[in-house]
Coordinates of all heavy atoms in Angstrom, one line a residue:
M1 N 0.8 -1.2 0.0 CA 0.0 0.0 0.0 C 0.9 1.2 0.0 O 1.9 1.3 0.7 CB -0.9 0.0 1.2 CG -1.8 1.1 1.3 SD -3.3 0.6 2.1 CE -4.3 2.0 1.7
T2 N 0.5 2.2 -0.8 CA 1.2 3.5 -0.8 C 0.4 4.6 -0.3 O -0.8 4.5 0.0 CB 1.6 3.8 -2.3 OG1 0.4 4.1 -3.0 CG2 2.4 2.7 -3.0
D3 N 1.0 5.8 -0.1 CA 0.3 6.9 0.4 C -0.3 7.7 -0.7 O -1.1 8.7 -0.5 CB 1.3 7.9 1.1 CG 1.9 7.3 2.4 OD1 1.2 6.4 3.0 OD2 2.9 7.7 2.8
Q4 N -0.1 7.3 -1.9 CA -0.7 8.0 -3.1 C -2.2 7.6 -3.2 O -2.5 6.4 -3.1 CB 0.0 7.6 -4.4 CG 1.5 8.0 -4.4 CD 1.6 9.5 -4.4 OE1 0.8 10.2 -5.0 NE2 2.6 10.0 -3.8
P5 N -3.1 8.5 -3.5 CA -4.5 8.2 -3.7 C -4.6 7.4 -5.0 O -3.8 7.6 -5.9 CB -5.2 9.5 -3.8 CG -4.1 10.5 -4.1 CD -2.8 10.0 -3.6
E6 N -5.6 6.6 -5.0 CA -5.9 5.8 -6.3 C -6.9 6.6 -7.1 O -7.9 7.1 -6.6 CB -6.4 4.4 -5.9 CG -5.4 3.6 -5.2 CD -5.9 2.2 -4.9 OE1 -6.7 1.7 -5.7 OE2 -5.4 1.6 -4.0
F7 N -6.6 6.7 -8.4 CA -7.5 7.3 -9.3 C -7.9 6.4 -10.4 O -7.1 5.5 -10.8 CB -6.8 8.5 -10.0 CG -6.4 9.6 -9.0 CD1 -5.2 9.7 -8.5 CD2 -7.4 10.5 -8.6 CE1 -4.8 10.8 -7.7 CE2 -7.1 11.6 -7.8 CZ -5.8 11.7 -7.3
P8 N -9.1 6.5 -10.9 CA -9.5 5.7 -12.1 C -8.5 6.1 -13.3 O -8.1 7.2 -13.4 CB -10.9 6.1 -12.4 CG -11.3 7.0 -11.4 CD -10.2 7.4 -10.5
N9 N -8.3 5.1 -14.1 CA -7.3 5.4 -15.2 C -7.7 6.5 -16.1 O -6.8 7.3 -16.6 CB -7.2 4.1 -16.1 CG -6.4 3.0 -15.4 OD1 -5.7 3.3 -14.5 ND2 -6.6 1.8 -15.8
D10 N -9.0 6.7 -16.4 CA -9.4 7.8 -17.3 C -9.3 9.2 -16.6 O -9.4 10.2 -17.3 CB -10.8 7.6 -17.8 CG -11.8 7.5 -16.7 OD1 -11.5 7.4 -15.6 OD2 -13.0 7.6 -17.1
A11 N -9.1 9.3 -15.3 CA -9.0 10.6 -14.7 C -7.6 11.1 -14.7 O -7.4 12.3 -14.5 CB -9.5 10.4 -13.2
V12 N -6.6 10.3 -15.0 CA -5.2 10.7 -15.0 C -4.7 10.5 -16.4 O -3.8 9.7 -16.6 CB -4.4 9.9 -13.9 CG1 -3.0 10.4 -13.8 CG2 -5.1 9.8 -12.6
E13 N -5.2 11.3 -17.3 CA -4.7 11.2 -18.7 C -3.5 12.2 -18.8 O -3.4 13.2 -18.1 CB -5.8 11.7 -19.6 CG -7.0 10.7 -19.7 CD -8.0 11.1 -20.7 OE1 -7.7 12.0 -21.5 OE2 -9.1 10.6 -20.6
S14 N -2.7 11.8 -19.7 CA -1.6 12.7 -20.0 C -2.1 13.9 -20.8 O -3.1 13.8 -21.5 CB -0.5 12.0 -20.8 OG -1.0 11.6 -22.0
P15 N -1.5 15.1 -20.7 CA -2.0 16.2 -21.4 C -1.8 16.0 -22.9 O -0.9 15.4 -23.4 CB -1.0 17.4 -20.9 CG -0.1 16.8 -20.0 CD -0.4 15.4 -19.8
R16 N -2.8 16.6 -23.6 CA -2.8 16.4 -25.1 C -2.7 17.8 -25.7 O -3.3 18.7 -25.2 CB -4.0 15.7 -25.6 CG -4.0 14.2 -25.2 CD -5.2 13.5 -25.7 NE -6.0 13.3 -24.6 CZ -7.3 13.0 -24.6 NH1 -7.9 13.0 -25.8 NH2 -8.0 12.8 -23.6
L17 N -2.1 17.9 -26.8 CA -2.1 19.1 -27.6 C -3.3 19.2 -28.4 O -3.9 18.2 -28.8 CB -0.9 19.1 -28.6 CG 0.5 19.2 -27.9 CD1 1.6 19.0 -29.0 CD2 0.7 20.5 -27.2
P18 N -3.8 20.4 -28.7 CA -5.0 20.6 -29.5 C -4.7 20.1 -31.0 O -3.6 20.2 -31.4 CB -5.3 22.1 -29.5 CG -4.1 22.7 -29.0 CD -3.3 21.7 -28.2
S19 N -5.7 19.7 -31.6 CA -5.5 19.2 -33.0 C -5.3 20.5 -33.9 O -5.5 21.6 -33.5 CB -6.8 18.5 -33.5 OG -7.9 19.4 -33.6
D20 N -4.8 20.2 -35.1 CA -4.6 21.3 -36.0 C -5.9 22.1 -36.3 O -6.0 23.3 -36.3 CB -4.1 20.8 -37.4 CG -2.6 20.4 -37.3 OD1 -2.0 20.7 -36.3 OD2 -2.2 19.7 -38.2
D21 N -7.0 21.3 -36.4 CA -8.3 22.0 -36.7 C -8.7 22.8 -35.5 O -9.3 23.9 -35.7 CB -9.4 20.9 -36.9 CG -9.3 20.2 -38.3 OD1 -8.6 20.8 -39.2 OD2 -9.8 19.2 -38.5
D22 N -8.5 22.4 -34.3 CA -8.8 23.2 -33.1 C -8.0 24.4 -33.0 O -8.5 25.5 -32.7 CB -8.6 22.4 -31.8 CG -9.7 21.3 -31.6 OD1 -10.7 21.3 -32.3 OD2 -9.4 20.3 -30.8
T23 N -6.7 24.3 -33.4 CA -5.8 25.5 -33.4 C -6.3 26.5 -34.4 O -6.4 27.7 -34.1 CB -4.4 25.1 -33.6 OG1 -4.0 24.1 -32.6 CG2 -3.4 26.2 -33.6
Y24 N -6.6 26.1 -35.6 CA -7.1 27.0 -36.6 C -8.4 27.6 -36.2 O -8.7 28.8 -36.5 CB -7.3 26.3 -38.0 CG -5.9 26.1 -38.7 CD1 -5.5 24.8 -39.0 CD2 -5.1 27.1 -39.0 CE1 -4.3 24.5 -39.7 CE2 -3.9 26.9 -39.7 CZ -3.5 25.6 -40.0 OH -2.3 25.4 -40.6
A25 N -9.3 26.9 -35.5 CA -10.6 27.4 -35.1 C -10.4 28.5 -34.1 O -11.1 29.5 -34.1 CB -11.4 26.3 -34.5
V26 N -9.5 28.3 -33.1 CA -9.3 29.3 -32.1 C -8.7 30.6 -32.7 O -9.1 31.7 -32.5 CB -8.4 28.8 -31.0 CG1 -7.9 29.9 -30.0 CG2 -9.1 27.7 -30.2
A27 N -7.7 30.4 -33.6 CA -7.1 31.5 -34.3 C -8.2 32.3 -35.2 O -8.2 33.5 -35.2 CB -6.0 31.1 -35.2
A28 N -9.0 31.5 -35.9 CA -10.1 32.2 -36.7 C -11.0 32.9 -35.8 O -11.5 34.1 -36.2 CB -10.8 31.1 -37.5
Y29 N -11.4 32.4 -34.6 CA -12.3 33.1 -33.7 C -11.7 34.4 -33.3 O -12.3 35.5 -33.3 CB -12.6 32.2 -32.5 CG -13.4 32.9 -31.5 CD1 -14.8 33.1 -31.7 CD2 -12.9 33.2 -30.3 CE1 -15.5 33.7 -30.7 CE2 -13.7 33.8 -29.3 CZ -15.0 34.1 -29.5 OH -15.7 34.7 -28.6
I30 N -10.4 34.4 -32.9 CA -9.7 35.6 -32.4 C -9.6 36.6 -33.5 O -9.9 37.8 -33.3 CB -8.4 35.3 -31.8 CG1 -8.5 34.5 -30.5 CG2 -7.6 36.5 -31.5 CD1 -7.3 33.9 -30.0
L31 N -9.3 36.2 -34.7 CA -9.2 37.1 -35.9 C -10.5 37.7 -36.2 O -10.6 38.8 -36.6 CB -8.5 36.4 -37.0 CG -7.0 36.0 -36.9 CD1 -6.6 35.1 -38.0 CD2 -6.2 37.2 -36.7
S32 N -11.6 36.9 -36.1 CA -12.9 37.4 -36.4 C -13.4 38.4 -35.4 O -14.1 39.4 -35.8 CB -13.9 36.3 -36.6 OG -14.2 35.7 -35.4
L33 N -13.0 38.2 -34.1 CA -13.4 39.2 -33.1 C -12.8 40.5 -33.4 O -13.4 41.5 -33.0 CB -12.9 38.7 -31.7 CG -13.7 37.5 -31.1 CD1 -13.1 37.1 -29.8 CD2 -15.2 37.9 -30.9
N34 N -11.6 40.5 -34.0 CA -10.9 41.8 -34.3 C -11.2 42.3 -35.7 O -10.5 43.2 -36.2 CB -9.4 41.6 -34.1 CG -9.1 41.4 -32.6 OD1 -9.1 42.4 -31.9 ND2 -8.9 40.2 -32.2
G35 N -12.2 41.7 -36.4 CA -12.6 42.1 -37.7 C -11.5 41.9 -38.8 O -11.6 42.5 -39.9
I36 N -10.6 41.0 -38.6 CA -9.6 40.7 -39.6 C -10.1 39.7 -40.6 O -9.7 39.7 -41.8 CB -8.3 40.2 -38.9 CG1 -7.8 41.4 -38.0 CG2 -7.2 39.8 -39.9 CD1 -6.7 41.0 -37.1
I37 N -10.9 38.7 -40.2 CA -11.6 37.8 -41.1 C -13.1 37.8 -40.8 O -13.4 38.2 -39.7 CB -11.0 36.4 -41.1 CG1 -11.3 35.7 -39.7 CG2 -9.5 36.3 -41.4 CD1 -10.9 34.2 -39.7
P38 N -13.9 37.5 -41.7 CA -15.4 37.5 -41.4 C -15.7 36.4 -40.4 O -15.0 35.4 -40.3 CB -16.0 37.1 -42.8 CG -15.0 37.0 -43.8 CD -13.6 37.2 -43.1
A39 N -16.8 36.6 -39.6 CA -17.2 35.6 -38.6 C -17.3 34.2 -39.2 O -17.0 33.2 -38.5 CB -18.4 36.1 -37.9
E40 N -17.8 34.1 -40.4 CA -18.0 32.8 -41.0 C -16.8 32.4 -41.8 O -16.9 31.4 -42.5 CB -19.3 32.8 -41.9 CG -19.3 33.7 -43.1 CD -19.6 35.2 -42.7 OE1 -20.0 35.5 -41.6 OE2 -19.3 36.0 -43.5
G41 N -15.7 33.1 -41.7 CA -14.5 32.8 -42.5 C -13.9 31.5 -42.1 O -14.0 31.1 -41.0
K42 N -13.2 30.9 -43.0 CA -12.5 29.7 -42.8 C -11.0 29.9 -42.7 O -10.4 30.7 -43.4 CB -12.8 28.7 -43.9 CG -12.1 27.3 -43.7 CD -12.4 26.4 -44.9 CE -11.7 25.1 -44.7 NZ -11.7 24.3 -46.0
L43 N -10.3 29.3 -41.8 CA -8.9 29.4 -41.6 C -8.3 28.0 -41.7 O -8.7 27.1 -41.0 CB -8.6 30.1 -40.3 CG -7.2 30.5 -40.1 CD1 -6.8 31.6 -41.1 CD2 -7.0 31.1 -38.7
D44 N -7.3 27.8 -42.5 CA -6.6 26.5 -42.7 C -5.2 26.8 -43.2 O -4.8 28.0 -43.3 CB -7.4 25.6 -43.6 CG -7.6 26.1 -45.0 OD1 -6.9 27.0 -45.4 OD2 -8.5 25.5 -45.6
R45 N -4.5 25.8 -43.5 CA -3.1 25.9 -43.9 C -2.9 26.8 -45.1 O -2.0 27.5 -45.2 CB -2.6 24.5 -44.2 CG -1.2 24.4 -44.7 CD -0.7 23.1 -45.1 NE -0.7 22.3 -43.8 CZ 0.1 21.3 -43.6 NH1 0.9 20.9 -44.6 NH2 0.2 20.7 -42.4
E46 N -3.9 26.7 -46.1 CA -3.8 27.5 -47.3 C -4.2 29.0 -47.1 O -3.6 29.9 -47.7 CB -4.6 26.9 -48.4 CG -4.1 25.6 -49.0 CD -4.4 24.4 -48.1 OE1 -5.4 24.4 -47.5 OE2 -3.5 23.5 -48.0
S47 N -5.2 29.2 -46.3 CA -5.7 30.6 -46.1 C -5.0 31.4 -45.1 O -5.0 32.6 -45.2 CB -7.2 30.5 -45.7 OG -7.4 29.9 -44.5
M48 N -4.3 30.8 -44.1 CA -3.7 31.6 -43.1 C -2.6 32.5 -43.6 O -2.5 33.7 -43.2 CB -3.2 30.7 -42.0 CG -2.7 31.4 -40.8 SD -2.5 30.3 -39.4 CE -2.5 31.4 -38.1
P49 N -1.7 32.0 -44.5 CA -0.6 32.9 -45.0 C -1.1 34.1 -45.8 O -0.4 35.1 -46.0 CB 0.3 32.0 -45.8 CG -0.1 30.6 -45.5 CD -1.5 30.6 -45.0
K50 N -2.4 34.0 -46.3 CA -2.9 35.1 -47.1 C -3.6 36.2 -46.3 O -3.9 37.2 -46.9 CB -4.0 34.5 -48.1 CG -3.4 33.4 -49.0 CD -4.5 32.8 -49.8 CE -3.9 31.7 -50.7 NZ -4.9 30.9 -51.4
I51 N -3.7 36.0 -45.0 CA -4.3 37.1 -44.2 C -3.3 38.3 -44.1 O -2.1 38.1 -43.9 CB -4.6 36.5 -42.8 CG1 -5.6 35.4 -42.9 CG2 -5.0 37.6 -41.8 CD1 -5.9 34.7 -41.6
K52 N -3.9 39.4 -44.3 CA -3.1 40.7 -44.2 C -3.4 41.3 -42.8 O -4.5 41.8 -42.6 CB -3.5 41.7 -45.3 CG -3.3 41.1 -46.7 CD -1.8 41.0 -47.0 CE -1.6 40.7 -48.5 NZ -0.5 39.8 -48.7
M53 N -2.4 41.3 -41.9 CA -2.6 41.9 -40.6 C -2.7 43.4 -40.8 O -1.9 44.0 -41.6 CB -1.5 41.4 -39.7 CG -1.5 39.9 -39.4 SD -3.0 39.3 -38.8 CE -2.9 39.8 -37.1
P54 N -3.5 44.1 -40.0 CA -3.7 45.5 -40.1 C -2.4 46.4 -39.9 O -2.3 47.4 -40.5 CB -4.7 45.9 -39.0 CG -5.3 44.6 -38.6 CD -4.4 43.5 -39.0
N55 N -1.6 46.0 -39.0 CA -0.4 46.8 -38.7 C 0.9 46.2 -39.3 O 2.0 46.4 -38.8 CB -0.3 47.0 -37.2 CG 0.7 48.1 -36.8 OD1 0.8 49.1 -37.5 ND2 1.4 47.9 -35.7
R56 N 0.8 45.4 -40.4 CA 1.9 44.7 -40.9 C 3.1 45.6 -41.3 O 4.2 45.2 -41.2 CB 1.5 43.8 -42.1 CG 1.1 44.6 -43.3 CD 0.5 43.7 -44.4 NE -0.2 44.4 -45.4 CZ -1.4 44.8 -45.4 NH1 -2.1 44.5 -44.3 NH2 -2.0 45.4 -46.4
G57 N 2.9 46.8 -41.6 CA 4.0 47.7 -41.9 C 4.3 48.7 -40.8 O 5.1 49.6 -41.0
G58 N 3.7 48.6 -39.7 CA 3.8 49.6 -38.6 C 4.8 49.2 -37.5 O 5.0 50.0 -36.6
F59 N 5.4 48.1 -37.6 CA 6.3 47.7 -36.5 C 7.6 48.5 -36.5 O 8.3 48.6 -37.6 CB 6.7 46.2 -36.6 CG 7.6 45.7 -35.5 CD1 7.2 45.6 -34.2 CD2 9.0 45.5 -35.8 CE1 8.1 45.2 -33.2 CE2 9.9 45.1 -34.8 CZ 9.4 44.9 -33.5
V60 N 8.0 49.1 -35.4 CA 9.2 49.9 -35.3 C 10.0 49.3 -34.1 O 9.6 49.4 -33.0 CB 8.9 51.4 -35.0 CG1 10.2 52.1 -34.9 CG2 8.1 51.9 -36.2
P61 N 11.1 48.6 -34.4 CA 11.9 48.0 -33.3 C 12.5 49.1 -32.4 O 12.8 50.2 -32.8 CB 13.0 47.3 -34.0 CG 13.1 47.8 -35.4 CD 11.7 48.4 -35.7
D62 N 12.6 48.8 -31.1 CA 13.1 49.7 -30.1 C 14.7 49.6 -30.3 O 15.3 48.6 -30.1 CB 12.7 49.2 -28.7 CG 13.3 50.0 -27.6 OD1 14.0 51.0 -27.9 OD2 13.0 49.7 -26.5
P63 N 15.3 50.8 -30.6 CA 16.7 50.8 -30.8 C 17.5 50.4 -29.5 O 18.7 50.0 -29.6 CB 17.0 52.2 -31.3 CG 15.9 53.0 -30.9 CD 14.7 52.1 -30.8
E64 N 16.9 50.6 -28.4 CA 17.5 50.3 -27.1 C 17.5 48.8 -26.8 O 18.1 48.3 -25.8 CB 16.9 51.1 -26.0 CG 17.0 52.6 -26.2 CD 18.5 53.1 -26.1 OE1 19.2 52.6 -25.2 OE2 18.8 53.9 -26.9
F65 N 16.6 48.0 -27.5 CA 16.4 46.6 -27.1 C 17.7 45.8 -27.5 O 18.2 45.8 -28.6 CB 15.2 46.0 -27.9 CG 15.0 44.6 -27.6 CD1 14.6 44.1 -26.4 CD2 15.2 43.6 -28.6 CE1 14.4 42.8 -26.1 CE2 15.0 42.3 -28.4 CZ 14.6 41.9 -27.1
D66 N 18.2 45.1 -26.5 CA 19.3 44.2 -26.7 C 19.0 42.8 -26.1 O 18.9 42.7 -24.9 CB 20.5 44.8 -26.0 CG 21.8 43.9 -26.1 OD1 21.7 42.9 -26.8 OD2 22.8 44.3 -25.5
P67 N 18.7 41.9 -27.0 CA 18.3 40.6 -26.5 C 19.3 39.9 -25.5 O 18.9 39.3 -24.6 CB 18.1 39.7 -27.7 CG 18.0 40.7 -28.9 CD 18.7 41.9 -28.4
A68 N 20.6 40.1 -25.8 CA 21.6 39.5 -25.0 C 21.5 40.1 -23.5 O 21.6 39.3 -22.6 CB 23.0 39.8 -25.5
R69 N 21.3 41.4 -23.4 CA 21.1 42.0 -22.1 C 19.8 41.5 -21.4 O 19.8 41.3 -20.2 CB 21.2 43.5 -22.2 CG 21.2 44.2 -20.9 CD 21.3 45.7 -21.0 NE 20.2 46.2 -21.9 CZ 20.3 47.3 -22.6 NH1 21.3 48.0 -22.6 NH2 19.3 47.6 -23.4
S70 N 18.8 41.5 -22.2 CA 17.5 41.1 -21.6 C 17.5 39.7 -21.1 O 16.8 39.4 -20.1 CB 16.4 41.2 -22.7 OG 16.3 42.5 -23.1
F71 N 18.2 38.8 -21.7 CA 18.3 37.4 -21.3 C 19.5 37.0 -20.5 O 19.9 35.9 -20.3 CB 18.1 36.5 -22.5 CG 16.7 36.7 -23.1 CD1 16.6 37.4 -24.3 CD2 15.6 36.2 -22.5 CE1 15.4 37.6 -24.9 CE2 14.3 36.4 -23.1 CZ 14.2 37.1 -24.3
G72 N 20.2 38.0 -20.0 CA 21.4 37.8 -19.1 C 22.6 37.1 -19.8 O 23.3 36.4 -19.1
R73 N 22.9 37.5 -21.0 CA 24.0 36.8 -21.7 C 25.1 37.8 -21.9 O 26.0 37.6 -22.8 CB 23.5 36.2 -23.0 CG 22.5 35.1 -22.7 CD 22.6 34.0 -23.7 NE 21.8 32.9 -23.3 CZ 20.8 32.4 -24.0 NH1 20.5 32.9 -25.2 NH2 20.1 31.4 -23.6
K74 N 25.1 38.9 -21.2 CA 26.3 39.9 -21.4 C 27.0 40.0 -20.1 O 26.5 39.9 -19.0 CB 25.7 41.2 -21.9 CG 25.9 41.4 -23.3 CD 25.7 42.9 -23.7 CE 26.0 43.0 -25.2 NZ 25.7 44.4 -25.6

């Protein structure tokens, strides 16, 4: 006998990653909430790279940002 509680086998499942379809569905939902794709729009491997993000040309890197300093490698 051990001090560990006993659980039914189905209660102690290993974590699972979401399927590709689930991942695309969540991304489509978030993009539709922000008006980037229509609410009934479909998102998959072919359509995702064709999405034009609204601020695609507006990124300006911070000239002071130094990844080595930020992650303690200097």
